[in-house]
Amino acid sequence: MLHNTKTQQLRAEIEHLKQKRQAVILAHYYQLPEIQDIADYVGDSLELARKAASTEAKVIVFCGVHFMAESAAILSPDKIVLLPDAGAGCPMADMVTPEALRAKKRTMPGAVVVTYVNSSAEVKAESDICCTSANVVKVIQAIPPDQEILFIPDRNLGDYAATQTGRKLVSWAGYCYVHDQLSPADVRQAKARYPKAKVLVHPECNPAVIAMADYVSSTSGILRFAKESVATEFLIGTEGGILHQLSKQNPTKKFYIIHEKLACKDMQATTLLKLKECLTIMQPQITVPPDIRKRALNSLERMLE
Ligand code: 13P
Ligand code: SF4
């Protein structure tokens, strides 16, 4: 009861500060339920990037991880972009540095560099085109067939895109520790418990897990599939935060996480208290130096086109 009153009070304070700052709150589907519920928009990486590019608000509060807030700052340089927890990063994005990418590019002159949005602004600035898991297949298909492709940083997403398009890609060796750790044995055990459930997984999972799935897609694709499917039980192979949105949108269907280890500590770092604090002190702000921003914008805009 005390807890509920405190939460309600926090929510009211955030609403008040949001009006005062003329802010919009964007949240990824992996955020904690209370963050998703207070957000103005909840979406996948692509939807949130589009929202950040088109919003009329003066301040964007990005409830997600660093690269997402950075993309918002690249797409909307005249806005203040806040990230409630300055330490919320993406370990996969850190698996490629601009120096290492420049060195690799020297060994593949003429290759098109396709970069997953889960990357730093400096890495985007060294790239030709960005993609998210929602549009990776389209982006690869748009590249002339005779052109070599360097895909960074997620090897699993690279493998998935290669299978879907029939294209040969040179993939960076990065991976998401949350998705990559899911094993075929985990899927088998979950299926034994819920034999009628459809298995829906994210393409950041490893190829052996992907091969066992009924459907593979970005977070927005998983939500769409669950809504449209006649099935009533689903096993979910992506970060557990998405279960809140799945259950909210489909109250009569049942969703089970394949394994509890599907939890991203960076995504779960945002709390209502941190959200209130960042709107109070207008910190931490995420900015990108103009020269890097300009080059990173090219690859992000090419993707959004
Ligand atoms: P999507 O929401 O684009 O599917 O991304 C998943 C992810 O891991 C973001 O960090
Ligand atoms: Fe990065 Fe994986 Fe967390 Fe997404 S779920 S933010 S890819 S570590």
Side-chain angles (χ1 to χ4, degrees), residues 7-8 14-15 24 31-32 34 73 107 122 170 173 179 190 194 208 269 275 281 284 288:
T7 305
Q8 272 164 14
I14 292 167
E15 290 295 347
V24 65
Q31 292 285 295
L32 296 173
E34 59 270 32
T107 70
E122 283 141 298
V170 175
H179 290 85
Y194 304 104
L275 183 48
I281 60 169
V288 179

Side-chain angles (χ1 to χ4, degrees), residues 14-80:
I14 292 167
E15 290 295 347
H16 169 75
L17 282 164
K18 196 180 81 177
Q19 304 299 330
K20 183 172 150 191
R21 303 294 195 193
Q22 296 181 46
V24 65
I25 301 176
L26 308 184
H28 190 267
Y29 291 128
Y30 295 162
Q31 292 285 295
L32 296 173
E34 59 270 32
I35 301 295
Q36 294 189 35
D37 288 345
I38 203 165
D40 296 297
Y41 299 99
V42 188
D44 72 356
S45 311
L46 183 60
E47 293 163 343
L48 294 177
R50 287 195 195 282
K51 212 25 125 191
S54 65
T55 183
E56 303 214 317
K58 289 208 163 90
V59 175
I60 300 171
V61 186
F62 216 118
C63 299
V65 291
H66 191 270
F67 76 82
M68 295 180 170
E70 217 177 36
S71 296
I74 294 166
L75 291 162
S76 285
D78 52 335
K79 319 260 183 222
I80 293 174

Side-chain angles (χ1 to χ4, degrees), residues 30 65 67 89-92 118 176-179 204 239 264 267:
Y30 295 162
V65 291
F67 76 82
C90 170
M92 169 160 61
N118 297 39
C176 162
Y177 77 95
V178 179
H179 290 85
E204 286 177 11
E239 212 281 339
C264 174
M267 281 288 183

Side-chain angles (χ1 to χ4, degrees), residues 99-110:
E99 297 75 30
L101 176 55
R102 277 194 290 271
K104 184 71 184 169
K105 277 166 66 175
R106 282 195 288 276
T107 70
M108 295 178 70

